Amino acid sequence: MKAMVYRRYGGPEVLEPAELPEPKTHVDSVLVRVRAAALNPADLALQAGVLDEAVETYFPVVPGWDIAGVVERAGLAASEFAPGDEVIGYVRGEVQRAHGGLAELVSADVRSLVRKPSTMSFTEAVGLPLAGLTAYQAVVHALDIQPQELLLVHGAAGGVGSLAVQIARARGARIIGTASARDHDYLRSLGVEPITYGPDATERIRHLPVDAVLDAAGNGALAAAPTQPGARVASIAEIGLPGVIPVFCRLEPQDFQAVADLAEAGELTVRIGETFPFERAADAQRALAQRTRPGKIVVLGPGSS
Protein backbone atom coordinates (compact mmCIF):
# COMPACT_ATOMS: atom_id res chain seq x y z
CA MET A 1 0.00 0.00 0.00
CA LYS A 2 1.01 3.64 -0.40
CA ALA A 3 2.19 5.40 2.75
CA MET A 4 4.20 8.34 3.96
CA VAL A 5 6.91 7.34 6.42
CA TYR A 6 9.88 8.65 8.32
CA ARG A 7 12.87 6.43 8.97
CA ARG A 8 14.65 8.75 11.38
CA TYR A 9 13.67 11.69 13.57
CA GLY A 10 13.42 15.12 12.01
CA GLY A 11 11.11 17.68 10.45
CA PRO A 12 9.03 17.54 7.27
CA GLU A 13 12.21 16.87 5.29
CA VAL A 14 12.41 13.29 6.63
CA LEU A 15 8.90 12.36 5.44
CA GLU A 16 9.01 10.24 2.27
CA PRO A 17 6.68 8.05 0.18
CA ALA A 18 6.91 4.29 0.59
CA GLU A 19 5.25 1.05 -0.45
CA LEU A 20 4.38 -1.04 2.60
CA PRO A 21 2.58 -4.35 3.12
CA GLU A 22 -1.11 -4.09 3.94
CA PRO A 23 -1.49 -3.98 7.74
CA LYS A 24 -2.73 -7.15 9.42
CA THR A 25 -5.98 -7.24 11.39
CA HIS A 26 -6.70 -9.25 14.51
CA VAL A 27 -10.12 -10.44 15.68
CA ASP A 28 -10.85 -7.15 17.45
CA SER A 29 -9.32 -4.91 14.77
CA VAL A 30 -10.88 -3.02 11.88
CA LEU A 31 -9.20 -2.33 8.56
CA VAL A 32 -10.00 1.21 7.40
CA ARG A 33 -9.34 2.74 3.98
CA VAL A 34 -8.22 6.28 4.78
CA ARG A 35 -10.07 9.11 3.08
CA ALA A 36 -8.50 11.90 5.15
CA ALA A 37 -5.93 12.34 7.92
CA ALA A 38 -5.65 15.42 10.14
CA LEU A 39 -2.34 16.74 11.42
CA ASN A 40 -1.71 17.82 14.99
CA PRO A 41 1.27 19.46 16.72
CA ALA A 42 1.78 16.17 18.55
CA ASP A 43 2.53 14.49 15.21
CA LEU A 44 5.39 16.91 14.62
CA ALA A 45 6.70 16.46 18.17
CA LEU A 46 6.70 12.67 17.81
CA GLN A 47 8.43 12.88 14.43
CA ALA A 48 11.05 15.27 15.80
CA GLY A 49 11.92 12.82 18.57
CA VAL A 50 10.74 15.06 21.40
CA LEU A 51 8.93 12.12 23.01
CA ASP A 52 11.68 9.55 22.47
CA GLU A 53 12.24 9.01 26.19
CA ALA A 54 8.54 8.30 26.76
CA VAL A 55 7.39 6.56 23.56
CA GLU A 56 8.78 3.46 21.90
CA THR A 57 9.40 4.09 18.21
CA TYR A 58 9.68 1.42 15.54
CA PHE A 59 10.98 2.73 12.23
CA PRO A 60 9.73 3.28 9.63
CA VAL A 61 6.86 5.21 11.19
CA VAL A 62 3.64 6.11 9.38
CA PRO A 63 2.51 9.30 11.19
CA GLY A 64 -1.01 10.63 11.69
CA TRP A 65 -3.15 10.14 14.80
CA ASP A 66 -6.51 11.29 13.33
CA ILE A 67 -8.20 9.42 10.50
CA ALA A 68 -11.50 9.36 8.64
CA GLY A 69 -12.35 6.61 6.20
CA VAL A 70 -14.38 3.58 5.21
CA VAL A 71 -14.27 0.13 6.78
CA GLU A 72 -12.77 -2.50 4.44
CA ARG A 73 -13.15 -5.41 6.82
CA ALA A 74 -13.86 -6.00 10.48
CA GLY A 75 -12.51 -8.75 12.72
CA LEU A 76 -14.79 -11.46 14.06
CA ALA A 77 -14.87 -9.76 17.47
CA ALA A 78 -15.45 -6.28 16.00
CA SER A 79 -19.15 -6.65 15.31
CA GLU A 80 -19.72 -2.91 15.91
CA PHE A 81 -18.59 -2.25 12.33
CA ALA A 82 -19.11 -3.73 8.88
CA PRO A 83 -17.58 -3.13 5.45
CA GLY A 84 -18.75 0.17 4.02
CA ASP A 85 -19.23 1.92 7.38
CA GLU A 86 -17.84 5.45 7.47
CA VAL A 87 -15.73 6.00 10.58
CA ILE A 88 -13.35 8.35 12.30
CA GLY A 89 -10.50 7.17 14.49
CA TYR A 90 -7.93 8.23 17.06
CA VAL A 91 -5.08 5.85 16.22
CA ARG A 92 -2.23 7.05 18.41
CA GLY A 93 -1.43 3.52 19.55
CA GLU A 94 -1.29 2.32 15.95
CA VAL A 95 1.22 5.09 15.10
CA GLN A 96 3.53 3.75 17.79
CA ARG A 97 3.40 0.42 15.94
CA ALA A 98 4.05 2.12 12.57
CA HIS A 99 0.43 2.17 11.31
CA GLY A 100 -0.65 5.82 11.23
CA GLY A 101 -3.09 7.75 9.10
CA LEU A 102 -0.82 8.87 6.26
CA ALA A 103 -1.44 5.65 4.36
CA GLU A 104 -4.01 3.91 2.20
CA LEU A 105 -5.05 1.56 5.00
CA VAL A 106 -4.97 1.53 8.80
CA SER A 107 -5.62 -1.46 11.05
CA ALA A 108 -7.26 0.05 14.14
CA ASP A 109 -8.44 -1.31 17.46
CA VAL A 110 -12.24 -1.30 17.51
CA ARG A 111 -12.18 0.92 20.62
CA SER A 112 -10.38 3.67 18.70
CA LEU A 113 -13.19 4.14 16.14
CA VAL A 114 -16.66 5.66 16.06
CA ARG A 115 -19.04 6.21 13.18
CA LYS A 116 -18.42 9.38 11.22
CA PRO A 117 -21.12 12.00 11.87
CA SER A 118 -23.39 12.03 8.82
CA THR A 119 -23.53 15.82 9.05
CA MET A 120 -19.82 16.11 8.22
CA SER A 121 -17.59 15.38 5.26
CA PHE A 122 -14.53 13.19 5.76
CA THR A 123 -12.39 16.33 5.57
CA GLU A 124 -14.29 18.02 8.39
CA ALA A 125 -14.90 14.97 10.58
CA VAL A 126 -11.22 14.03 10.66
CA GLY A 127 -10.60 17.11 12.80
CA LEU A 128 -12.64 15.65 15.67
CA PRO A 129 -10.65 12.80 17.27
CA LEU A 130 -7.66 14.27 19.15
CA ALA A 131 -8.90 17.84 19.47
CA GLY A 132 -12.47 16.78 20.21
CA LEU A 133 -11.49 14.26 22.86
CA THR A 134 -9.18 16.78 24.53
CA ALA A 135 -11.81 19.51 24.48
CA TYR A 136 -14.56 17.22 25.77
CA GLN A 137 -12.46 15.87 28.62
CA ALA A 138 -11.41 19.40 29.59
CA VAL A 139 -14.91 20.86 29.58
CA VAL A 140 -16.88 17.90 30.92
CA HIS A 141 -14.47 16.07 33.23
CA ALA A 142 -11.75 18.49 34.33
CA LEU A 143 -13.93 21.60 34.68
CA ASP A 144 -17.43 20.08 34.87
CA ILE A 145 -18.99 23.11 33.17
CA GLN A 146 -22.60 23.71 34.18
CA PRO A 147 -25.44 25.72 32.59
CA GLN A 148 -25.10 29.51 32.90
CA GLU A 149 -21.54 29.33 34.18
CA LEU A 150 -19.09 31.81 32.67
CA LEU A 151 -16.16 30.06 31.00
CA LEU A 152 -13.03 31.85 29.80
CA VAL A 153 -11.06 30.01 27.10
CA HIS A 154 -7.55 31.10 26.17
CA GLY A 155 -6.80 30.19 22.56
CA ALA A 156 -10.50 29.89 21.81
CA ALA A 157 -10.05 29.86 18.03
CA GLY A 158 -7.54 26.99 17.96
CA GLY A 159 -8.21 23.33 17.30
CA VAL A 160 -8.99 22.36 20.90
CA GLY A 161 -10.25 25.77 21.98
CA SER A 162 -12.84 26.08 19.21
CA LEU A 163 -14.30 22.67 19.99
CA ALA A 164 -14.20 23.36 23.74
CA VAL A 165 -16.30 26.51 23.38
CA GLN A 166 -18.86 24.62 21.31
CA ILE A 167 -19.06 21.77 23.82
CA ALA A 168 -19.43 24.28 26.66
CA ARG A 169 -22.11 26.14 24.72
CA ALA A 170 -24.00 22.87 24.23
CA ARG A 171 -23.93 22.49 28.02
CA GLY A 172 -25.53 25.93 28.43
CA ALA A 173 -22.45 27.91 29.46
CA ARG A 174 -21.64 31.52 28.62
CA ILE A 175 -18.24 31.86 27.00
CA ILE A 176 -15.54 34.50 26.60
CA GLY A 177 -12.52 33.64 24.51
CA THR A 178 -9.11 35.19 23.91
CA ALA A 179 -7.81 35.15 20.35
CA SER A 180 -6.06 37.29 17.77
CA ALA A 181 -8.14 39.99 16.12
CA ARG A 182 -8.35 38.04 12.86
CA ASP A 183 -10.36 35.34 14.65
CA HIS A 184 -12.96 37.54 16.32
CA ASP A 185 -15.64 37.13 13.67
CA TYR A 186 -15.14 33.37 13.77
CA LEU A 187 -15.60 33.32 17.55
CA ARG A 188 -18.71 35.45 17.32
CA SER A 189 -20.13 32.90 14.87
CA LEU A 190 -19.70 30.31 17.64
CA GLY A 191 -21.48 32.47 20.20
CA VAL A 192 -18.28 33.50 21.96
CA GLU A 193 -17.47 37.02 23.14
CA PRO A 194 -13.92 37.61 21.86
CA ILE A 195 -11.08 39.40 23.63
CA THR A 196 -7.79 40.34 21.95
CA TYR A 197 -4.56 39.57 23.80
CA GLY A 198 -2.86 42.61 25.33
CA PRO A 199 -2.69 44.87 28.41
CA ASP A 200 -6.32 45.97 28.11
CA ALA A 201 -7.43 42.36 27.95
CA THR A 202 -5.39 41.48 31.02
CA GLU A 203 -7.08 44.17 33.08
CA ARG A 204 -10.51 43.22 31.82
CA ILE A 205 -10.01 39.50 32.50
CA ARG A 206 -8.79 40.26 36.01
CA HIS A 207 -12.24 41.61 36.87
CA LEU A 208 -14.40 39.06 35.04
CA PRO A 209 -16.62 36.95 37.35
CA VAL A 210 -15.58 33.73 35.62
CA ASP A 211 -16.48 30.35 37.06
CA ALA A 212 -13.88 28.40 35.09
CA VAL A 213 -10.87 28.93 32.83
CA LEU A 214 -9.52 26.64 30.12
CA ASP A 215 -6.05 27.38 28.83
CA ALA A 216 -5.77 25.99 25.31
CA ALA A 217 -3.05 28.44 24.31
CA GLY A 218 -0.11 28.08 26.68
CA ASN A 219 2.70 30.62 26.28
CA GLY A 220 2.05 32.00 29.75
CA ALA A 221 -1.58 32.97 29.11
CA LEU A 222 -2.69 32.05 32.63
CA ALA A 223 0.07 34.05 34.30
CA ALA A 224 -0.40 37.04 31.99
CA ALA A 225 -4.15 37.25 32.57
CA PRO A 226 -4.97 35.99 36.09
CA THR A 227 -8.63 35.71 37.07
CA GLN A 228 -10.44 36.25 40.32
CA PRO A 229 -9.81 33.67 43.07
CA GLY A 230 -12.19 30.72 43.19
CA ALA A 231 -12.35 29.95 39.49
CA ARG A 232 -11.68 26.37 38.41
CA VAL A 233 -8.69 26.33 36.06
CA ALA A 234 -7.50 23.67 33.60
CA SER A 235 -4.82 23.68 30.95
CA ILE A 236 -3.80 21.50 28.02
CA ALA A 237 -0.50 23.36 27.71
CA GLU A 238 0.79 24.50 31.12
CA ILE A 239 1.44 21.37 33.13
CA GLY A 240 2.46 21.49 36.78
CA LEU A 241 1.18 24.95 37.72
CA PRO A 242 -0.26 25.10 41.26
CA GLY A 243 -4.04 24.96 41.29
CA VAL A 244 -4.27 24.15 37.57
CA ILE A 245 -5.84 20.88 36.45
CA PRO A 246 -3.73 19.29 33.69
CA VAL A 247 -5.65 17.87 30.75
CA PHE A 248 -4.20 15.03 28.70
CA CYS A 249 -6.11 13.37 25.88
CA ARG A 250 -7.14 9.82 26.74
CA LEU A 251 -8.86 7.39 24.44
CA GLU A 252 -12.10 6.85 26.32
CA PRO A 253 -14.63 5.27 23.91
CA GLN A 254 -17.63 6.81 25.70
CA ASP A 255 -16.10 10.28 25.41
CA PHE A 256 -15.25 9.74 21.75
CA GLN A 257 -18.82 8.66 21.08
CA ALA A 258 -20.14 11.72 22.94
CA VAL A 259 -18.06 13.98 20.68
CA ALA A 260 -19.41 12.22 17.59
CA ASP A 261 -22.97 12.49 18.94
CA LEU A 262 -22.59 16.25 19.45
CA ALA A 263 -21.37 16.61 15.87
CA GLU A 264 -24.23 14.44 14.59
CA ALA A 265 -26.66 16.72 16.42
CA GLY A 266 -25.16 19.79 14.72
CA GLU A 267 -23.55 21.11 17.90
CA LEU A 268 -19.96 20.89 16.62
CA THR A 269 -18.23 22.18 13.52
CA VAL A 270 -14.55 21.91 12.59
CA ARG A 271 -12.66 24.81 11.08
CA ILE A 272 -10.57 23.63 8.14
CA GLY A 273 -7.50 25.70 7.38
CA GLU A 274 -5.98 23.95 4.39
CA THR A 275 -6.29 20.63 2.57
CA PHE A 276 -3.37 18.90 0.85
CA PRO A 277 -3.18 15.97 -1.56
CA PHE A 278 -1.45 12.89 -0.23
CA GLU A 279 1.71 13.51 -2.23
CA ARG A 280 2.19 16.87 -0.48
CA ALA A 281 2.03 15.55 3.09
CA ALA A 282 5.42 17.12 3.89
CA ASP A 283 4.07 20.50 2.74
CA ALA A 284 1.10 19.96 5.04
CA GLN A 285 3.49 19.43 7.94
CA ARG A 286 5.30 22.65 7.02
CA ALA A 287 2.00 24.53 6.97
CA LEU A 288 1.18 23.20 10.42
CA ALA A 289 4.60 24.14 11.79
CA GLN A 290 4.40 27.64 10.32
CA ARG A 291 0.72 28.14 11.24
CA THR A 292 0.17 29.88 7.91
CA ARG A 293 -3.59 30.09 8.43
CA PRO A 294 -6.09 29.22 11.16
CA GLY A 295 -7.91 25.91 11.10
CA LYS A 296 -7.15 22.22 10.78
CA ILE A 297 -4.55 20.95 8.33
CA VAL A 298 -5.87 17.90 6.48
CA VAL A 299 -4.13 15.45 4.14
CA LEU A 300 -6.39 13.55 1.76
CA GLY A 301 -5.97 9.81 1.50
CA PRO A 302 -4.30 8.36 -1.60
CA GLY A 303 -6.74 8.59 -4.51
CA SER A 304 -9.13 10.91 -2.64
CA SER A 305 -10.08 14.29 -4.03
Side-chain angles (χ1 to χ4, degrees):
M1 69 170 183
K2 293 181 179 179
M4 288 290 177
V5 306
Y6 57 92
R7 303 178 188 276
R8 58 186 174 86
Y9 290 135
E13 74 282 352
V14 303
L15 197 66
E16 61 182 60
E19 286 288 337
L20 299 179
E22 180 179 305
K24 298 177 182 179
T25 52
H26 199 35
V27 292
D28 57 354
S29 298
V30 177
L31 188 67
V32 178
R33 183 166 296 278
V34 178
R35 295 287 299 275
L39 303 188
N40 296 287
D43 298 316
L44 301 185
L46 197 68
Q47 184 169 314
V50 174
L51 303 179
D52 182 62
E53 293 186 359
V55 177
E56 294 287 353
T57 301
Y58 303 95
F59 296 108
V61 176
V62 180
W65 290 6
D66 290 352
I67 64 166
V70 180
V71 173
E72 290 262 314
R73 91 174 157 264
L76 295 176
S79 58
E80 296 92 334
F81 300 104
D85 287 346
E86 297 180 347
V87 296
I88 57 176
Y90 176 55
V91 296
R92 187 189 73 179
E94 279 68 24
V95 170
Q96 291 172 215
R97 295 188 292 274
H99 296 153
L102 293 184
E104 286 186 87
L105 297 164
V106 171
S107 179
D109 187 296
V110 68
R111 297 175 67 255
S112 67
L113 302 173
V114 296
R115 281 182 168 75
K116 180 182 76 67
S118 63
T119 53
M120 290 182 164
S121 67
F122 287 104
T123 302
E124 186 180 14
V126 77
L128 287 174
L130 174 58
L133 272 166
T134 306
Y136 185 88
Q137 290 164 355
V139 170
V140 176
H141 299 314
L143 293 175
D144 189 25
I145 298 300
Q146 298 298 312
Q148 295 306 310
E149 286 194 315
L150 181 60
L151 170 66
L152 169 66
V153 178
H154 291 298
V160 173
S162 62
L163 290 172
V165 301
Q166 294 175 76
I167 293 167
R169 183 185 63 187
R171 291 172 69 85
R174 298 171 294 131
I175 307 146
I176 294 173
T178 61
S180 61
R182 70 176 182 179
D183 292 316
H184 283 201
D185 286 343
Y186 171 64
L187 289 183
R188 292 188 185 99
S189 75
L190 299 180
V192 177
E193 181 183 344
I195 298 178
T196 305
Y197 294 113
D200 291 342
T202 299
E203 190 60 27
R204 181 181 174 190
I205 289 170
R206 192 187 307 274
H207 294 94
L208 284 173
V210 299
D211 298 290
V213 180
L214 172 60
D215 171 29
N219 298 317
L222 291 175
T227 54
Q228 293 183 7
R232 310 186 301 279
V233 182
S235 177
I236 70 169
E238 301 282 357
I239 307 303
L241 293 179
V244 177
I245 305 167
V247 178
F248 301 96
C249 180
R250 287 184 49 165
L251 177 55
E252 297 288 352
Q254 64 272 26
D255 291 346
F256 199 6
Q257 187 61 58
V259 171
D261 289 343
L262 284 168
E264 184 70 40
E267 299 284 0
L268 294 182
T269 61
V270 174
R271 190 185 194 187
I272 303 300
E274 199 166 358
T275 302
F276 290 81
F278 185 74
E279 296 75 17
R280 294 183 57 205
D283 289 335
Q285 288 190 339
R286 293 184 184 96
L288 176 62
Q290 296 164 5
R291 302 183 183 275
T292 53
R293 64 176 67 181
K296 207 72 178 173
I297 302 297
V298 176
V299 176
L300 300 177
S304 299
S305 58

